[in-house]
């Protein structure tokens, strides 16, 4: 199981810690470093900055939101950064949810997410393979565009720039069972949002026929500390926000995932409290047991013991969410 560093997205402004963390992760032998985006900083610019200040570590997006860019634009970003970094790019994509897609990007959330994702990946692959002009008469993506409001003058094009790698890895952030199953068929890897090594039954059907070399790369908060309960507080804060606030009361993919993992009553309570403005109560309502099983928190010996559970399953890459250099170093030692 390889290690990756997940930096997430910026908050109020750029973090002065991100570049030193990435450079230390490279020095420690981490395989990859990953950036993200929500409705603030974008995913590619910080990754390009990191690429310019590192030499070996792989560079991943976890995730680039599909609604933010047309698939050809995303492919242009990926092939450009792959060239500039000497072939280190890994493209992680995700649909996001209706609130972000429609509220921030001003686009309709696709009524058929599976089809929209499949078409998007198809176009990106066509660009990267450069076997001919990009052509797709899709439900959500048309190349060239054939809508009634178009001019009719569009022509199929292939990229001027020759991509460095036709097989640049594409990973998908998917949460629902059908989305995960499709991911195993059309992508090179899967980016789980929450992964519990003791509750893999939630994913067994979707992962029943994994292709060779398929990547399973979940994110996990990791913190070396003496007080487990205190160390879990940032995990619970993240869960309170995602379960309670990252979606509508009637349609929240993160809450639905928590419910499928055996915490349905707790997920609905967190939503109810968060949406009522009782955010601190929502965070405290997150069960310690759930926060603990999807993270690695506690003394070195406890993390070493629990790390063995992560190694036994299908996980190929553990993407570490930790702003702590000491934690990164301890985990590198334990995983060596």
């Amino acid at each position: 199981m390889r290690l990756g560093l997940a930096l997430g997205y910026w908050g109020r402004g750029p973090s002065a810690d991100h570049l030193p963390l990435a450079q230390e992760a490279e020095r420690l032998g981490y395989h990859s470093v990953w950036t993200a985006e929500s409705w603030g900083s974008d995913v590619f610019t910080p990754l390009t900055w990191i690429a310019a200040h590192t030499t070996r570590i792989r560079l991943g997006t976890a995730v680039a939101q599909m609604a933010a860019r047309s698939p050809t634009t995303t492919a242009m970003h990926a092939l450009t950064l792959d060239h500039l970094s000497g072939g280190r790019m890994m493209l992680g994509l995700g649909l996001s949810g209706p609130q972000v897609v429609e509220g921030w990007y001003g686009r309709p959330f696709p009524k058929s997410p599976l089809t929209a994702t499949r078409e998007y990946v198809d176009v990106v692959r066509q660009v990267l393979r450069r076997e001919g002009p990009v052509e797709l008469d899709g439900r959500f993506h048309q190349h060239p565009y054939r809508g009634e409001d178009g001019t009719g003058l569009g022509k199929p094009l292939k990229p001027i720039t020759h991509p460095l790698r036709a097989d640049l890895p594409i990973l998908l952030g998917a949460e629902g069972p059908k989305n995960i199953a499709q991911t195993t068929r059309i992508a090179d890897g899967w980016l789980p949002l929450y992964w519990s090594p003791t509750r893999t039954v939630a994913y067994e059907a979707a992962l029943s026929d994994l292709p060779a070399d398929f990547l399973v790369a979940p994110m996990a908060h990791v913190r070396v500390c003496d007080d487990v309960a205190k160390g879990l507080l940032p995990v619970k804060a993240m869960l309170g926000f995602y379960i309670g606030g990252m979606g509508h009361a009637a349609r929240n993919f993160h809450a639905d995932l928590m419910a499928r993992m055996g915490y349905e009553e707790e997920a609905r309570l967190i939503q109810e409290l968060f949406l009522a403005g009782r955010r601190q109560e929502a965070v405290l309502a997150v069960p310690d047991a759930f926060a603990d099983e999807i993270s690695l928190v506690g003394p070195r010996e406890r993390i070493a013991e629990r790390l063995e559970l992560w190694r036994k399953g299908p996980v190929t890459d553990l993407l570490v969410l930790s702003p702590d250099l000491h934690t990164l170093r301890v985990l590198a030692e334990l995983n060596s």
Side-chain angles (χ1 to χ4, degrees), residues 69-318:
R69 307 162 188 88
S70 71
T72 47
T73 306
T74 294
M76 289 167 65
H77 278 296
L79 74 84
T80 302
L81 185 48
D82 202 42
H83 269 293
L84 292 174
S85 65
R88 291 190 277 153
M89 180 68 199
M90 304 172 73
L91 180 61
L93 301 170
L95 275 175
S96 191
Q99 279 196 324
V100 175
V101 173
E102 297 184 2
W104 181 248
Y105 294 115
R107 302 184 59 185
F109 188 79
K111 289 183 170 60
S112 178
L114 288 170
T115 302
T117 299
R118 190 166 57 250
E119 291 179 3
Y120 200 102
V121 172
D122 184 353
V123 173
V124 172
R125 294 238 192 248
Q126 286 191 53
V127 174
L128 295 175
R129 288 171 179 156
R130 202 178 179 273
E131 295 171 346
V134 175
E135 293 191 79
L136 180 69
D137 188 15
R139 177 178 174 184
F140 298 97
H141 299 285
Q142 295 181 355
H143 296 269
Y145 182 69
R146 298 180 177 88
E148 293 181 358
D149 56 342
T151 64
L153 300 178
K155 60 177 291 185
L157 300 169
K158 65 179 180 180
I160 297 170
T161 304
H162 291 233
L164 184 64
R165 292 181 296 161
D167 59 351
L168 187 153
I170 297 175
L171 298 87
L172 295 176
E175 295 181 47
K178 292 181 179 179
N179 284 321
I180 298 169
Q182 175 174 268
T183 296
T184 66
R185 298 192 298 271
I186 68 172
D188 302 298
W190 173 42
L191 295 161
L193 180 62
Y194 311 133
W195 178 268
S196 169
T198 61
R199 210 178 291 267
T200 56
V201 66
Y203 307 112
E204 279 180 354
L207 299 178
S208 59
D209 190 22
L210 286 181
D213 302 322
F214 187 80
L215 304 177
V216 177
M219 292 187 192
H221 281 263
V222 183
R223 183 78 181 192
V224 178
C225 60
D226 294 327
D227 189 333
V228 175
K230 185 177 180 180
L232 287 174
L233 286 176
V235 186
K236 295 178 67 169
M238 176 274 295
L239 287 169
F241 177 64
Y242 273 73
I243 302 300
M246 289 285 275
H248 190 270
R251 193 170 189 184
N252 183 316
F253 302 138
H254 311 311
D256 293 344
L257 174 58
M258 183 178 175
R260 285 195 300 274
M261 294 179 74
Y263 294 91
E264 183 168 5
E265 290 185 14
E266 294 87 344
R268 303 314 169 198
L269 175 60
I270 294 166
Q271 276 189 294
E272 179 183 328
L273 291 169
F274 194 96
L275 294 173
R278 298 156 64 182
R279 298 192 175 190
Q280 188 58 34
E281 291 180 62
V283 170
L284 295 177
V286 175
D288 282 5
F290 182 58
D292 194 29
E293 67 184 77
I294 65 170
S295 60
L296 288 161
V297 173
R300 179 190 176 105
E301 297 75 18
R302 185 176 193 266
I303 290 179
E305 179 181 346
R306 293 168 64 82
L307 195 61
E308 291 303 315
L309 296 174
W310 291 75
R311 288 199 186 99
K312 289 179 181 178
V315 174
T316 60
D317 297 77
L318 174 60

Side-chain angles (χ1 to χ4, degrees), residues 29-105:
Y30 278 59
H31 175 260
S32 56
V33 58
W34 302 75
T35 54
E37 62 188 3
S38 54
W39 51 91
S41 60
D42 81 279
V43 71
F44 287 105
T45 309
L47 201 60
T48 304
W49 183 254
I50 292 168
H53 292 83
T54 55
T55 57
R56 301 182 308 279
I57 197 166
R58 301 295 196 278
L59 309 156
T61 56
V63 294
Q65 295 178 331
M66 297 183 207
R69 307 162 188 88
S70 71
T72 47
T73 306
T74 294
M76 289 167 65
H77 278 296
L79 74 84
T80 302
L81 185 48
D82 202 42
H83 269 293
L84 292 174
S85 65
R88 291 190 277 153
M89 180 68 199
M90 304 172 73
L91 180 61
L93 301 170
L95 275 175
S96 191
Q99 279 196 324
V100 175
V101 173
E102 297 184 2
W104 181 248
Y105 294 115

